[in-house]
Amino acid sequence: MTVVVVGAGPVGLTAALTLARRGVEVVVLEQGATLATESRASTFHPPTLEMLDTLGVLEPLLDRGIVAPTFQYRERGGGEIATLDLRLLAGDTRFPFRVQCEQSILTPILLDALGDSAQVRFGHHADAVSTDALGATVHTDRGDVRGDWVIGADGAHSAIRRGLAANFDGTTYLERFLVASVEEDLAAALPGIAPVNYIFDADEWLVLLRTPQLWRVLLPTAPATRDEDEFRRLPQRLTAVADLGRPWRVRHASLYRVHQRVTDRFHIGRALLMGDAAHVNNPLGGLGMNSGIHDAVAMATALADVLDGGPESGLDIVARRRRRVAVEHVQQASHANWERLRGNDSEFRAHLRALAADPEAARAYLRRACLLDSLEPRL
């Protein structure tokens, strides 16, 4: 039995490694000539760390990343609202912290772990997929690739999802998100900040988060202005965050639209959809990549069970559960994060302060924020 995985990002490679560890023959198709290197997701939550540890790939990630036991909520132009400490989860997880590290660090680790246990074919652009009762055929610009099952982990513009005629309903935020990666020591410029900071402001909220080499600044941006105009005024916007007495050193900046969308089914015939191919959300809270990795481990494990002779109904239950998590947990939480950052909700600020003073209430909040609660079996 062969499973064709389309997409060699963190979700596709995690699915491939999960299957390969179970002795399944895997072919991975990646449209790029190499693994993607651009900055994307950069926060790994505790349950994701547990999964990566089980797969034997956590240690090199820890060696490259930053362990972040706390994160903060702050007022723009003001001080700290609350600092929440993930070490309160020490009784819930072996890894009561976040790891700050770009996903482009994880993917080579996963690829190396696969070794010869899977075929990884670069430069294969998937155009479509066709399925039948016996398997699936992925149509690429370098010919057809046949498998008994196909996994679509090929991102928000998934050719596999489109080939399955699956919808992708949802909304697009009016404002765009501008992300600048900067070569500055923001902890020195803004004393007291944590490795991850969510900063409230009705006019211009922002997120500051640290990665091993850089800090990232996420800023909301007007919907209809020209990209070049926004990049031109970025230095002034950064100076308004912290005046360094000189222009900030910007390594890279990108401007993109953000969506909240989900497909109607994650299991369609002999095909599975996971990660951004199945659901996308805004990046506030770091839920997208993490929930995608959880999709990969859960559904690839269930698929391996089917290939070992188990009932396909078990796979369908897991796929439905993962969709429910995407809708009821990930999408709700990420959208609520956006609404709160851009508002003047004094009641929520008071709630955060109360959490910081109440370890048991903070623990319950953190379990949901880091996706531990999303792993509870629910039909």
Side-chain angles (χ1 to χ4, degrees):
M1 289 284 191
T2 301
V3 177
V4 180
V5 177
V6 182
V11 174
L13 290 177
T14 297
L17 185 58
T18 301
L19 289 165
R21 291 279 196 262
R22 293 283 297 270
V24 177
E25 183 177 335
V26 182
V27 177
V28 180
L29 305 179
E30 166 56 40
Q31 67 175 354
T34 60
L35 296 173
T37 58
E38 62 266 29
S39 294
R40 295 182 182 175
S42 60
T43 292
F44 293 86
H45 286 302
T48 309
L49 301 177
E50 293 191 0
M51 294 175 189
L52 296 177
D53 187 47
T54 298
L55 289 170
V57 295
L58 179 59
E59 186 173 342
L61 184 71
L62 290 176
D63 288 342
R64 302 285 298 277
I66 296 169
V67 171
T70 64
F71 63 95
Q72 279 187 358
Y73 295 98
R74 302 181 67 90
E75 293 284 9
R76 180 72 184 264
E80 170 193 343
I81 299 170
T83 296
L84 296 184
D85 193 335
L86 288 156
R87 285 169 291 202
L88 292 170
L89 299 176
D92 301 274
T93 174
R94 291 176 290 124
F95 305 103
F97 47 80
R98 292 179 172 188
V99 169
Q100 294 299 114
C101 190
E102 295 88 346
Q103 70 175 55
S104 59
I105 300 299
L106 175 64
T107 47
I109 294 170
L110 292 167
L111 184 64
D112 183 65
L114 275 171
D116 296 331
S117 63
Q119 298 181 47
V120 181
R121 303 178 187 176
F122 291 98
H124 281 68
H125 185 280
D127 300 311
V129 65
S130 53
T131 62
D132 54 50
L134 298 178
T137 301
V138 179
H139 308 288
T140 83
D141 57 352
R142 297 177 66 172
D144 291 349
V145 181
R146 178 73 177 175
D148 297 283
W149 286 81
V150 65
I151 290 175
D154 50 337
H157 302 289
S158 172
I160 303 304
R161 187 187 64 246
R162 293 196 307 270
L164 296 169
N167 63 23
F168 206 38
D169 293 337
T171 61
T172 300
Y173 289 96
L174 288 177
E175 62 185 355
R176 294 167 295 167
F177 284 26
L178 175 60
V179 179
S181 297
V182 301
E183 298 174 327
E184 302 293 351
D185 181 4
L186 295 191
L190 297 166
I193 64 172
V196 179
N197 307 270
Y198 303 103
I199 300 177
F200 291 77
D201 185 65
D203 295 323
E204 187 180 76
W205 56 266
L206 65 137
V207 178
L208 304 175
L209 60 86
R210 186 181 173 192
T211 67
Q213 303 300 325
L214 305 164
W215 277 83
R216 284 192 193 175
V217 183
L218 171 61
L219 294 159
T221 301
T225 55
R226 297 190 308 169
D227 289 4
E228 54 265 37
D229 291 338
E230 293 301 338
F231 289 127
R232 190 177 299 116
R233 76 185 190 98
L234 176 60
Q236 290 73 39
R237 298 184 75 185
L238 293 175
T239 295
V241 174
D243 190 348
L244 305 180
R246 55 166 175 77
W248 287 40
R249 296 185 295 264
V250 179
R251 170 82 65 85
H252 177 264
S254 59
L255 185 61
Y256 58 94
R257 295 200 177 276
V258 178
H259 310 270
Q260 297 275 105
R261 298 184 181 276
V262 64
T263 192
D264 53 349
R265 288 181 293 160
F266 290 11
H267 174 204
I268 303 172
R270 287 295 187 100
L272 300 175
L273 297 170
M274 56 184 63
D276 285 356
H279 54 94
V280 293
N281 56 275
N282 78 56
L284 302 177
L287 304 178
M289 176 189 65
N290 285 272
S291 62
I293 290 174
H294 301 181
D295 292 342
V297 172
M299 287 197 280
T301 298
L303 176 56
D305 290 342
V306 171
L307 298 178
D308 280 344
E312 195 168 317
S313 59
L315 173 59
D316 198 50
I317 288 171
V318 171
R320 285 190 282 113
R321 183 181 295 147
R322 291 309 306 166
R323 184 182 186 278
R324 183 165 290 123
V325 166
V327 173
E328 297 180 3
H329 191 112
V330 173
Q331 300 232 329
Q332 286 186 13
S334 60
H335 186 68
N337 289 338
W338 174 77
E339 287 186 319
R340 289 161 177 162
L341 280 176
R342 61 197 294 271
N344 289 310
D345 187 346
S346 58
E347 185 176 332
F348 183 67
R349 287 162 169 77
H351 173 63
L352 290 174
R353 293 186 182 98
L355 285 178
D358 183 342
E360 197 54 39
R363 172 178 167 269
Y365 181 85
L366 290 167
R367 280 187 57 89
R368 183 167 179 81
C370 78
L371 296 172
L372 273 169
D373 281 350
S374 76
L375 301 178
E376 296 296 330
R378 294 181 304 148
L379 300 183

